[in-house]
Coordinates of all heavy atoms in Angstrom, one line a residue:
Chain E
I109 N 7.2 -29.9 -10.5 CA 7.1 -28.7 -9.7 C 8.0 -28.8 -8.5 O 8.1 -29.8 -7.8 CB 5.7 -28.2 -9.3 CG1 5.7 -26.9 -8.7 CG2 5.1 -29.4 -8.4 CD1 4.3 -26.3 -8.5
V110 N 8.7 -27.6 -8.1 CA 9.6 -27.7 -6.9 C 9.4 -26.3 -6.3 O 9.2 -25.3 -6.8 CB 11.1 -27.7 -7.3 CG1 11.8 -27.6 -6.0 CG2 11.4 -29.1 -7.9
T111 N 9.1 -26.5 -4.9 CA 8.7 -25.3 -4.1 C 9.7 -25.2 -3.0 O 10.2 -26.0 -2.4 CB 7.3 -25.5 -3.5 OG1 6.4 -25.8 -4.6 CG2 6.9 -24.3 -2.7
T112 N 10.0 -23.8 -2.7 CA 10.9 -23.5 -1.6 C 10.3 -22.4 -0.7 O 9.4 -21.7 -1.2 CB 12.2 -22.9 -2.2 OG1 13.1 -22.7 -1.0 CG2 12.0 -21.6 -2.8
T113 N 10.5 -22.5 0.5 CA 10.1 -21.5 1.5 C 11.2 -20.3 1.5 O 12.2 -20.6 2.1 CB 9.8 -22.0 2.9 OG1 8.8 -23.0 2.8 CG2 9.4 -20.9 3.8
I114 N 10.8 -19.3 1.0 CA 11.9 -18.2 0.8 C 12.1 -17.6 2.1 O 13.3 -17.4 2.5 CB 11.3 -17.2 -0.2 CG1 11.2 -17.8 -1.6 CG2 12.3 -15.9 -0.3 CD1 10.4 -16.9 -2.5
T115 N 11.2 -17.2 2.9 CA 11.4 -16.7 4.3 C 10.1 -16.9 5.1 O 9.0 -17.2 4.5 CB 11.8 -15.2 4.1 OG1 12.1 -14.7 5.4 CG2 10.6 -14.3 3.7
T116 N 10.1 -16.7 6.3 CA 8.9 -16.7 7.2 C 8.9 -15.5 8.1 O 9.9 -14.9 8.4 CB 8.9 -17.9 8.1 OG1 10.1 -18.0 9.0 CG2 8.9 -19.3 7.3
F117 N 7.7 -15.2 8.6 CA 7.5 -14.1 9.4 C 6.6 -14.6 10.7 O 5.8 -15.4 10.4 CB 6.8 -12.9 8.8 CG 7.5 -12.5 7.6 CD1 7.1 -13.0 6.3 CD2 8.4 -11.5 7.6 CE1 7.7 -12.6 5.2 CE2 9.1 -11.1 6.4 CZ 8.6 -11.6 5.3
S118 N 6.9 -14.1 11.8 CA 6.1 -14.5 13.0 C 5.1 -13.3 13.3 O 5.6 -12.2 13.4 CB 7.0 -14.8 14.2 OG 6.2 -15.3 15.2
V119 N 3.9 -13.6 13.5 CA 3.0 -12.7 13.8 C 2.1 -13.1 15.1 O 1.6 -14.2 15.0 CB 1.9 -12.4 12.7 CG1 0.8 -11.3 13.1 CG2 2.6 -11.9 11.4
T120 N 2.2 -12.2 16.0 CA 1.4 -12.5 17.3 C 0.1 -11.7 17.4 O 0.2 -10.4 17.3 CB 2.3 -12.3 18.5 OG1 3.5 -13.1 18.4 CG2 1.6 -12.5 19.8
T121 N -1.0 -12.3 17.6 CA -2.2 -11.6 17.8 C -2.9 -11.9 19.1 O -2.7 -12.9 19.6 CB -3.1 -11.9 16.6 OG1 -3.6 -13.4 16.7 CG2 -2.6 -11.8 15.3
T122 N -3.8 -10.9 19.5 CA -4.4 -11.2 20.8 C -5.9 -11.5 20.5 O -6.6 -11.6 21.5 CB -4.4 -9.8 21.6 OG1 -4.9 -8.7 20.8 CG2 -3.0 -9.6 22.1
R123 N -6.3 -11.6 19.2 CA -7.7 -11.9 19.0 C -7.7 -12.4 17.5 O -6.7 -12.4 16.8 CB -8.5 -10.6 19.0 CG -8.0 -9.5 18.1 CD -8.9 -8.4 18.1 NE -8.3 -7.1 17.5 CZ -8.1 -7.0 16.2 NH1 -8.5 -7.9 15.3 NH2 -7.5 -5.9 15.7
A124 N -8.9 -12.9 17.0 CA -9.0 -13.2 15.7 C -8.8 -12.0 14.8 O -9.2 -10.9 15.2 CB -10.4 -13.8 15.4
S125 N -8.0 -12.1 13.7 CA -7.7 -11.0 12.9 C -7.6 -11.2 11.4 O -7.7 -12.3 11.1 CB -6.2 -10.5 13.4 OG -6.1 -10.4 14.8
I126 N -7.5 -10.2 10.7 CA -7.1 -10.2 9.3 C -5.7 -9.6 9.1 O -5.5 -8.5 9.5 CB -8.2 -9.4 8.4 CG1 -9.6 -10.1 8.6 CG2 -7.8 -9.6 7.0 CD1 -9.8 -11.5 8.2

Side-chain angles (χ1 to χ4, degrees):
Chain E
I109 185 169
V110 176
T111 304
T112 185
T113 299
I114 300 168
T115 191
T116 61
F117 307 90
S118 181
V119 175
T120 299
T121 65
T122 57
R123 55 173 170 78
S125 309
I126 300 292

